Amino acid sequence: MSEQPLDLQPSSNKQPLVIWVIFFATIISFMGLGLVDPILPAIAKQLHATPSQVSLLFSSYNLITGIAMLITGVVSSRIGVKWTLLTGIIFIIIFSALAGSSNAISQIVAFRGGWGLGNSLFIATALSAIVGLSVGGTAKAIILYEAAIGLGISVGPLLGGELGSISWRGPFFGVSVLMIIAFLALLLKMPQVAKPKVKSSVLDPIKALKYPGLLILGITAFLYNIGFFTLMAYSPFVMNLDEHGLGYVFLGWGLCLAFTSVFVAPKVQARFGTIKSMCAMLILFALSLLAMGIWTHSSTVVIVAVIVAGLFLGTNNTLITTAVMQVAPVQRSTASAAYSFVRFIGGAIGPWLANTLAESVSPQIPFIMGAFFVLIAMLVVAFGRKKLAHVDQISH
């Protein structure tokens, strides 16, 4: 099988088959993120765990995903893009099945960490592969990638709610089965991609953060991910819904996220520019979290605010991912790894902090705290706009 360089751009306007294979695998990979949302209260009840203990399912997953981002370039530059993707999927298959077989919350938390390792190998490599192999330039490739994320995040909770209503173990086994399908599709349909001539180092993503623009975006994502995962890991405990109900709420949230990431973000960016649009979306997301904090005891308000927040998150995700791919003179995979390393640490802190504050202070505090961190993220972008100015010039 012939090898293809990652910067190959076929002359046809039609995307090559490999892009759709990676697209399909990315959908399934991100289904694993939202799949567990509808079963968080059920796990807490059946395993006699507190919400803060259950929140560690997100914290261990995100912490290991973030740290492992430092090695994704090392691995892919040595075994190639295809086998890095496949190795990541193998980890997800194994550890999601082990989590479903567990009988204690500590075991699930540990296995979610292994799942996070697989996730890091997959998502960092998938983004650079889609950007490198797709037709139509970086912006269109990132929209395609964000569309896969949005579809995965939206369908995941629906499937999680359906399988979770049978047993909380169902969603974990469901991910394992779906990733087996993704593994076979990639194994059979993805060509070998040429390895880079220069081997990556563990320190490359850290060194990339010396570029002010990339560091600013990383810190922004770190802060707003605290709010993002406060919504994901804490809101299910205050909606007073069963697995089906939670599945439908997060389906609505995910569909809003998918729609705006694909159709709204490019228009907003073209009209107002990346930086102004990002600041606006962060303010709107912060206001959504603040509404949840003020009216926490109203399930209706929380449900509506969660779904509406998907509109702002989808737009912001595409804006910030596009900016990351353009902001530093390093390989796309290195920029993605550096940015993801920082942001996933925020995703590890948010769930645990939110549920711990809810148990020790009040149910309203987690949402208010999340809104505060998201507003700080907006200020980081606003005050760092001079270091990001060239992103708007490129996007136009």
Side-chain angles (χ1 to χ4, degrees), residues 17-30:
L17 177 61
V18 62
I19 291 298
W20 298 113
V21 173
I22 300 172
F23 180 82
F24 169 72
T26 303
I27 291 174
I28 298 174
S29 175
F30 277 91

Side-chain angles (χ1 to χ4, degrees), residues 268-279:
V268 170
Q269 183 187 41
R271 178 77 182 271
F272 303 105
T274 302
I275 310 307
K276 288 182 180 178
S277 301
M278 205 182 298
C279 288

Side-chain angles (χ1 to χ4, degrees), residues 234-235 237-240 290-303 358 361-365 367:
Y234 176 62
S235 64
F237 289 101
V238 298
M239 289 188 211
N240 301 312
L290 187 61
M292 294 181 226
I294 295 171
W295 292 285
T296 306
H297 296 295
S298 170
S299 296
T300 302
V301 171
V302 175
I303 289 167
V361 184
S362 76
Q364 291 87 2
I365 288 296
F367 293 124

Side-chain angles (χ1 to χ4, degrees), residues 3-15:
E3 293 191 343
Q4 298 181 22
L6 261 183
D7 59 354
L8 179 65
Q9 294 290 347
S11 57
S12 169
N13 290 323
K14 188 177 180 181
Q15 295 292 357

Side-chain angles (χ1 to χ4, degrees), residues 57-230:
L57 267 70
F58 282 104
S59 294
S60 64
Y61 176 84
N62 286 328
L63 179 63
I64 300 302
T65 297
I67 294 173
M69 283 294 170
L70 298 177
I71 67 167
T72 54
V74 175
V75 175
S76 64
S77 66
R78 285 161 175 78
I79 67 173
V81 169
K82 178 175 181 176
W83 285 103
T84 303
L85 290 171
L86 292 175
T87 301
I89 290 175
I90 290 171
F91 274 108
I92 296 172
I93 291 169
I94 293 171
F95 284 104
S96 58
L98 287 172
S101 305
S102 302
N103 293 308
I105 191 68
S106 59
Q107 294 175 342
I108 303 176
V109 169
F111 291 136
R112 279 281 284 181
W115 187 342
L117 173 59
N119 190 56
S120 67
L121 291 171
F122 180 84
I123 62 174
T125 313
L127 174 57
S128 60
I130 286 179
V131 170
L133 290 169
S134 66
V135 178
T138 299
K140 288 185 178 180
I142 289 172
I143 290 171
L144 194 64
Y145 178 74
E146 292 293 340
I149 293 175
L151 287 171
I153 288 177
S154 60
V155 175
L158 181 64
L159 185 61
E162 295 301 318
L163 295 175
S165 65
I166 301 170
S167 168
W168 66 262
R169 300 177 189 275
F172 293 106
F173 291 128
V175 167
S176 190
V177 171
L178 288 170
M179 289 310 277
I180 290 174
I181 297 172
F183 177 87
L184 293 174
L186 276 175
L187 182 66
L188 296 174
K189 296 298 182 181
M190 184 170 181
Q192 291 288 352
V193 176
K195 300 175 188 176
K197 295 178 181 178
V198 179
K199 299 289 188 293
S200 296
S201 162
V202 174
L203 296 177
D204 285 350
I206 301 295
K207 290 177 181 177
L209 292 172
K210 71 181 180 183
Y211 295 102
L214 187 58
L215 181 61
I216 288 168
L217 293 176
I219 293 172
T220 300
F222 170 88
L223 293 165
Y224 111 82
N225 257 18
I226 294 178
F228 183 101
F229 281 96
T230 294

